[in-house]
Structures are given as structure tokens and as C-alpha cells.
Amino acid sequence: MDFMNFIVKEAYILIPVLYILGMFFKETPKVPDFLIPWILLVCGMAGGFFLSGMKFEGILQGVLVAGTTVLANQLYKQTAVKRVEDQNLLKK
């Protein structure tokens, strides 16, 4: 099963937009880290709603897009960033 078949092509643009928003919020000291996925979820739902022409299906697309964005970020952090950190610990 291909996960990307569940997301309509019009909503693909939201993935990099949400990723950039997430990076922006990560650098904002007043936004706690636990709140970032929730903010991205709301932004994704709103973006999907407006991209779909104000249909309920757009909200579901926003949830899928936000989930894809957060998953991609976590996969990157857990494989690339954590791997480098673990290697640095082993060298000490």
C-alpha cells in the first residue's frame, strides 16, 4: 500500500510548507517543542480545507499531510542526527 496515494496531488505543496513552518517554530524560543506538531496539524487542516475548496475532505488531507511532515522530520532526526550523536558518544 502506497501512503502517498491517500494524499491528493493538490495537497503535496503543504508538505514543504509545513516543514518550513515547523523549522520556524523550532527556532522560536516561546514555542515549546511539544506544541509544534499540534500547530502543524491545525495549519495543515486549514490549508487542506482551503485547497479543497472548503470541503470536509480537505481537513482529512490536512491531517495526512501534517502526519507525513512530522513523520519525515522524525525519520530524519532519528536516523541522521541521532546516528551522528551516537557516533560522537562512542568516540569519547
Side-chain angles (χ1 to χ4, degrees), residues 19-68:
Y19 194 85
I20 291 168
L21 273 176
M23 290 183 350
F24 171 75
F25 286 123
K26 181 72 176 165
E27 296 299 320
T28 306
K30 292 187 178 186
V31 178
D33 286 347
F34 80 90
L35 203 55
I36 296 172
W38 291 104
I39 294 170
L40 295 181
L41 177 64
V42 170
C43 291
M45 291 168 62
F49 183 69
F50 289 114
L51 278 177
S52 71
M54 311 282 191
K55 296 180 185 173
F56 177 73
E57 297 157 3
I59 294 174
L60 297 176
Q61 289 297 314
V63 170
L64 291 172
V65 168
T68 302

Side-chain angles (χ1 to χ4, degrees), residues 43-90:
C43 291
M45 291 168 62
F49 183 69
F50 289 114
L51 278 177
S52 71
M54 311 282 191
K55 296 180 185 173
F56 177 73
E57 297 157 3
I59 294 174
L60 297 176
Q61 289 297 314
V63 170
L64 291 172
V65 168
T68 302
T69 304
V70 173
L71 174 67
N73 178 269
Q74 285 300 305
L75 287 173
Y76 170 72
K77 283 174 50 175
Q78 296 299 321
T79 55
V81 175
K82 275 298 223 184
R83 186 172 176 97
V84 169
E85 289 174 0
D86 291 344
Q87 288 175 350
N88 289 338
L89 284 175
L90 290 175

